Amino acid sequence: MKPIWLIVTVIMTVSLQAGWFSPEKKLVVRHAPPMDVSYEKPEAMSLLNEIREAMGMNTLVHNEQLAQAAQAHADYLVKNRITSHDEIPGRPGFTGRTPSERALHAGYLSTQVSENLSTKNRDARSSIDGLFSAIYHRFGFLDVGIDEIGVGATQDVHHTENSAFVYVMGNSYLNALCHEHAFKGYGRYVYGVCRDKRHRIAQKRFLEAQDANRRYNPKIVCYPYDGQKDVPPSFYDEMPDPLPDYEVSGFPVSVTFNAYFFKRVELVSFTLTRSDGKPVDPYGYSAPKTTRTDASHLISSHSFLSVGLSAIPSIERRSSIKSRGERCVEVGVSIHENSPNRCCVSPNKRRLSRSGRTKVICSI
């Protein structure tokens, strides 16, 4: 009988531990496995360059100082469990209040940098995809004036949802000017561009450096791009929020005119039609966002944005843009239901009339 009692004792112990005879319940929190940060950092840069290359843009090269600045800020965000482009002196990991200060702290000499960041990502792809759906951050990635980047990534291995990807971008030509001797001749010059705020740069050389990358990039940058697949149907939120009155909207379509080729651009008209040619209710999409109508003032004078107020599976967007010299460009985008998503700008232009109107068809 003794062996029998031993067996019964074991069964009762297991039953009590499993909660069969107890009303108490335990909440088990599962965390995603840690990501391989050493892999995801270069993967993020690779994914970004794949998109830029598919759009005919220059790819970005690694810069070590920008990478140090990006990594330092990613560490700061995770240590303090926050999401912000700004740092507060005295907090763990502080290296500078702004992206510019952090780049200077890392040894970069130009103050002309920009920064994108995302938090709570499981990998590089979710970070890149999220930032491209966030319109203001998309414009940063598709800047025609940049050519170098540094990527930082950090994750709390004990709380894997606490992660951060940071991207700091710059113009190598402007940074090189800060390494040269200051301008001491006669003529126009600029200053406040370098670590030494008094460092003078001849205005002509400064403008040439700004245009150095623009001249080799497309005249029109449109996203989603031509041939793109698996475009998300919806957009949720961003800080700051371009559509603060809506919790969810259609995926943003953006058009940017390269300032090297277009000195002044003005939106003339905007319409939205379905793939069958029928117009969409004008209350079904937002008024085009421009530098004048954007409440956050983060859209440049050469960029335009259209957002459906709900996810519309089959639409066609057309807008007319007028630039200096009375030259018009019509941009059309269509997204067809039940077919691979392909979007945006075709580089082929053809003259439509003696008035000098040019048409660019973007379709999928």
Side-chain angles (χ1 to χ4, degrees):
M1 296 299 294
K2 188 174 182 180
I4 295 177
W5 278 108
L6 285 174
I7 293 174
V8 172
T9 301
V10 171
I11 293 175
M12 291 299 292
T13 301
V14 173
S15 299
L16 288 172
Q17 289 178 349
W20 292 3
F21 295 92
S22 172
E24 296 181 1
K25 295 182 179 180
K26 294 183 179 180
L27 177 63
V28 178
V29 179
R30 298 181 181 273
H31 297 283
M35 63 180 175
D36 184 352
V37 175
S38 63
Y39 169 81
E40 298 298 341
K41 278 202 298 186
E43 177 68 4
M45 180 174 170
S46 177
L47 291 171
L48 172 56
N49 275 331
E50 283 180 12
I51 294 174
R52 287 181 63 100
E53 187 173 22
M55 299 175 68
M57 303 182 70
N58 68 304
T59 54
L60 308 180
V61 299
H62 172 83
N63 178 279
E64 185 57 32
Q65 287 76 40
L66 295 181
Q68 291 177 19
Q71 186 60 51
H73 191 50
D75 293 342
Y76 173 90
L77 297 177
V78 170
K79 287 178 181 177
N80 294 280
R81 302 183 70 88
I82 59 174
T83 302
S84 176
H85 288 289
D86 299 322
E87 293 187 5
I88 300 175
R91 287 197 173 185
F94 174 82
T95 55
R97 289 183 175 86
T98 65
S100 177
E101 288 183 5
R102 295 190 289 271
L104 295 177
H105 178 79
Y108 200 70
L109 294 187
S110 171
T111 61
Q112 307 299 294
V113 300
S114 59
E115 178 182 86
N116 273 353
L117 66 85
S118 64
T119 57
K120 300 181 179 180
N121 294 112
R122 62 184 181 276
D123 54 28
R125 182 169 292 280
S126 64
S127 172
I128 293 293
D129 288 348
L131 289 169
F132 266 95
S133 70
I135 186 61
Y136 297 134
H137 293 79
R138 177 195 300 175
F139 285 137
F141 275 156
L142 299 182
D143 187 346
V144 295
I146 60 176
D147 62 354
E148 56 186 358
I149 188 173
V151 180
T154 303
Q155 183 184 51
D156 184 338
V157 295
H158 301 294
H159 300 88
T160 53
E161 73 283 357
N162 182 21
S163 64
F165 282 83
V166 179
Y167 311 82
V168 183
M169 296 154 284
N171 179 322
S172 65
Y173 295 91
L174 286 176
N175 193 48
L177 291 178
C178 295
H179 285 269
E180 298 181 0
H181 294 295
F183 174 73
K184 296 181 179 180
Y186 295 97
R188 297 178 181 272
Y189 60 87
V190 298
Y191 60 93
V193 178
C194 306
R195 176 193 298 275
D196 180 357
K197 302 296 183 181
R198 300 166 298 176
H199 188 92
R200 296 180 179 183
I201 301 173
Q203 185 185 56
K204 181 180 179 181
R205 297 202 63 195
F206 175 75
L207 296 177
E208 289 174 347
Q210 283 189 314
D211 286 337
N213 297 307
R214 294 172 180 169
R215 64 191 303 173
Y216 298 111
N217 272 306
K219 294 181 179 180
I220 302 173
V221 176
C222 190
Y223 193 91
Y225 60 83
D226 185 26
Q228 185 170 346
K229 298 181 179 180
D230 301 322
V231 178
S234 304
F235 163 70
Y236 291 93
D237 58 10
E238 179 179 12
M239 293 190 302
D241 194 342
L243 289 173
D245 297 327
Y246 296 88
E247 184 176 352
V248 62
S249 66
F251 192 76
V253 176
S254 62
V255 181
T256 297
F257 290 81
N258 190 331
Y260 181 78
F261 302 100
F262 300 92
K263 300 305 179 184
R264 183 165 56 89
V265 183
E266 180 183 357
L267 180 69
V268 176
S269 64
F270 172 84
T271 58
L272 184 69
T273 60
R274 298 185 183 278
S275 56
D276 59 7
K278 296 180 179 180
V280 174
D281 183 344
Y283 294 102
Y285 56 91
S286 70
K289 293 283 185 179
T290 68
T291 188
R292 297 177 182 176
T293 62
D294 178 34
S296 300
H297 306 291
L298 295 175
I299 298 180
S300 76
S301 60
H302 284 66
S303 296
F304 303 86
L305 166 67
S306 166
V307 184
L309 301 185
S310 62
I312 303 176
S314 182
I315 64 172
E316 181 176 355
R317 184 187 71 93
R318 292 195 180 279
S319 60
S320 297
I321 313 291
K322 182 167 66 175
S323 65
R324 189 169 62 179
E326 298 301 318
R327 180 175 54 180
C328 269
V329 177
E330 292 184 358
V331 180
V333 179
S334 63
I335 302 177
H336 298 292
E337 190 174 13
N338 299 325
S339 66
N341 289 333
R342 299 180 56 225
C343 304
C344 228
V345 142
S346 165
N348 298 322
K349 296 183 178 181
R350 59 185 179 88
R351 192 167 300 281
L352 298 181
S353 68
R354 294 180 181 178
S355 64
R357 293 175 65 86
T358 303
K359 192 172 186 180
V360 181
I361 296 298
C362 319
S363 62
I364 46 177

Short mmCIF file of all heavy atoms in Angstrom, two decimals, residues 257 261-268 321-329:
data_model
loop_
_atom_site.label_atom_id
_atom_site.label_comp_id
_atom_site.label_asym_id
_atom_site.label_seq_id
_atom_site.Cartn_x
_atom_site.Cartn_y
_atom_site.Cartn_z
N PHE A 257 8.42 67.82 -55.38
CA PHE A 257 9.10 68.34 -56.56
C PHE A 257 10.50 68.79 -56.15
O PHE A 257 10.67 69.57 -55.21
CB PHE A 257 8.31 69.51 -57.15
CG PHE A 257 7.03 69.08 -57.80
CD1 PHE A 257 5.89 68.84 -57.03
CD2 PHE A 257 6.94 68.89 -59.17
CE1 PHE A 257 4.71 68.41 -57.62
CE2 PHE A 257 5.76 68.48 -59.77
CZ PHE A 257 4.65 68.24 -58.98
N PHE A 261 15.14 71.51 -59.77
CA PHE A 261 14.51 71.65 -61.08
C PHE A 261 13.27 72.55 -61.04
O PHE A 261 12.89 73.12 -62.07
CB PHE A 261 14.10 70.27 -61.61
CG PHE A 261 15.24 69.30 -61.72
CD1 PHE A 261 15.46 68.34 -60.75
CD2 PHE A 261 16.12 69.36 -62.80
CE1 PHE A 261 16.51 67.45 -60.85
CE2 PHE A 261 17.17 68.48 -62.92
CZ PHE A 261 17.37 67.52 -61.93
N PHE A 262 12.62 72.66 -59.89
CA PHE A 262 11.41 73.47 -59.76
C PHE A 262 11.63 74.51 -58.67
O PHE A 262 11.74 74.18 -57.50
CB PHE A 262 10.20 72.61 -59.40
CG PHE A 262 9.88 71.53 -60.40
CD1 PHE A 262 10.42 70.26 -60.27
CD2 PHE A 262 9.03 71.79 -61.47
CE1 PHE A 262 10.13 69.26 -61.18
CE2 PHE A 262 8.74 70.79 -62.39
CZ PHE A 262 9.28 69.52 -62.24
N LYS A 263 11.69 75.78 -59.07
CA LYS A 263 11.95 76.84 -58.10
C LYS A 263 10.71 77.19 -57.29
O LYS A 263 10.78 77.51 -56.12
CB LYS A 263 12.48 78.09 -58.82
CG LYS A 263 13.76 77.86 -59.58
CD LYS A 263 14.85 77.27 -58.68
CE LYS A 263 16.14 77.02 -59.44
NZ LYS A 263 17.17 76.36 -58.59
N ARG A 264 9.55 77.15 -57.93
CA ARG A 264 8.31 77.49 -57.24
C ARG A 264 7.20 76.60 -57.75
O ARG A 264 7.02 76.43 -58.96
CB ARG A 264 7.95 78.96 -57.47
CG ARG A 264 6.71 79.42 -56.73
CD ARG A 264 6.65 80.94 -56.72
NE ARG A 264 6.69 81.47 -58.08
CZ ARG A 264 5.59 81.68 -58.84
NH1 ARG A 264 4.41 81.38 -58.38
NH2 ARG A 264 5.72 82.20 -60.04
N VAL A 265 6.44 76.00 -56.85
CA VAL A 265 5.38 75.08 -57.22
C VAL A 265 4.10 75.48 -56.49
O VAL A 265 4.12 75.82 -55.31
CB VAL A 265 5.74 73.62 -56.85
CG1 VAL A 265 4.66 72.66 -57.30
CG2 VAL A 265 7.09 73.24 -57.45
N GLU A 266 2.99 75.42 -57.22
CA GLU A 266 1.70 75.79 -56.64
C GLU A 266 0.65 74.74 -57.00
O GLU A 266 0.54 74.32 -58.15
CB GLU A 266 1.25 77.16 -57.16
CG GLU A 266 -0.10 77.61 -56.61
CD GLU A 266 -0.53 78.94 -57.22
OE1 GLU A 266 0.26 79.50 -58.00
OE2 GLU A 266 -1.65 79.38 -56.90
N LEU A 267 -0.13 74.30 -56.02
CA LEU A 267 -1.20 73.35 -56.25
C LEU A 267 -2.39 74.08 -56.88
O LEU A 267 -2.86 75.08 -56.35
CB LEU A 267 -1.63 72.70 -54.94
CG LEU A 267 -2.75 71.67 -55.04
CD1 LEU A 267 -2.26 70.43 -55.77
CD2 LEU A 267 -3.25 71.30 -53.66
N VAL A 268 -2.86 73.58 -58.02
CA VAL A 268 -3.96 74.21 -58.74
C VAL A 268 -5.28 73.51 -58.44
O VAL A 268 -6.28 74.15 -58.11
CB VAL A 268 -3.69 74.21 -60.26
CG1 VAL A 268 -4.89 74.77 -61.01
CG2 VAL A 268 -2.44 75.02 -60.57
N ILE A 321 -0.45 70.46 -60.75
CA ILE A 321 0.53 71.28 -60.06
C ILE A 321 1.10 72.28 -61.06
O ILE A 321 1.46 71.92 -62.17
CB ILE A 321 1.69 70.43 -59.51
CG1 ILE A 321 1.16 69.20 -58.78
CG2 ILE A 321 2.58 71.26 -58.61
CD1 ILE A 321 0.44 69.47 -57.50
N LYS A 322 1.15 73.55 -60.68
CA LYS A 322 1.70 74.56 -61.59
C LYS A 322 3.01 75.08 -61.03
O LYS A 322 3.11 75.46 -59.87
CB LYS A 322 0.72 75.71 -61.76
CG LYS A 322 1.22 76.76 -62.73
CD LYS A 322 0.11 77.72 -63.13
CE LYS A 322 -0.36 78.56 -61.98
NZ LYS A 322 -1.35 79.56 -62.43
N SER A 323 4.03 75.10 -61.87
CA SER A 323 5.32 75.63 -61.45
C SER A 323 5.62 76.90 -62.24
O SER A 323 4.92 77.26 -63.17
CB SER A 323 6.43 74.59 -61.69
OG SER A 323 6.57 74.36 -63.07
N ARG A 324 6.68 77.57 -61.85
CA ARG A 324 7.03 78.83 -62.49
C ARG A 324 7.27 78.61 -63.98
O ARG A 324 7.83 77.61 -64.40
CB ARG A 324 8.30 79.40 -61.84
CG ARG A 324 8.61 80.82 -62.30
CD ARG A 324 9.68 81.43 -61.43
NE ARG A 324 10.94 80.69 -61.53
CZ ARG A 324 12.03 81.05 -60.87
NH1 ARG A 324 12.00 82.08 -60.06
NH2 ARG A 324 13.14 80.34 -61.00
N GLY A 325 6.88 79.55 -64.80
CA GLY A 325 7.00 79.43 -66.24
C GLY A 325 5.72 78.90 -66.86
O GLY A 325 5.71 78.50 -68.02
N GLU A 326 4.62 78.89 -66.07
CA GLU A 326 3.31 78.44 -66.57
C GLU A 326 3.36 77.01 -67.10
O GLU A 326 2.62 76.66 -67.99
CB GLU A 326 2.79 79.39 -67.66
CG GLU A 326 2.58 80.81 -67.18
CD GLU A 326 1.60 80.87 -66.03
OE1 GLU A 326 0.58 80.18 -66.09
OE2 GLU A 326 1.86 81.61 -65.07
N ARG A 327 4.22 76.21 -66.55
CA ARG A 327 4.29 74.81 -66.97
C ARG A 327 3.51 73.98 -65.97
O ARG A 327 3.65 74.14 -64.77
CB ARG A 327 5.75 74.34 -67.01
CG ARG A 327 5.88 72.88 -67.43
CD ARG A 327 7.34 72.49 -67.58
NE ARG A 327 8.11 72.77 -66.38
CZ ARG A 327 9.41 72.51 -66.27
NH1 ARG A 327 10.06 72.01 -67.30
NH2 ARG A 327 10.05 72.78 -65.16
N CYS A 328 2.66 73.09 -66.44
CA CYS A 328 1.82 72.28 -65.55
C CYS A 328 2.28 70.83 -65.57
O CYS A 328 2.71 70.33 -66.60
CB CYS A 328 0.36 72.34 -65.97
SG CYS A 328 -0.54 73.66 -65.14
N VAL A 329 2.17 70.21 -64.44
CA VAL A 329 2.41 68.78 -64.34
C VAL A 329 1.16 68.17 -63.72
O VAL A 329 0.72 68.59 -62.67
CB VAL A 329 3.64 68.48 -63.47
CG1 VAL A 329 3.83 66.98 -63.32
CG2 VAL A 329 4.88 69.12 -64.07
#
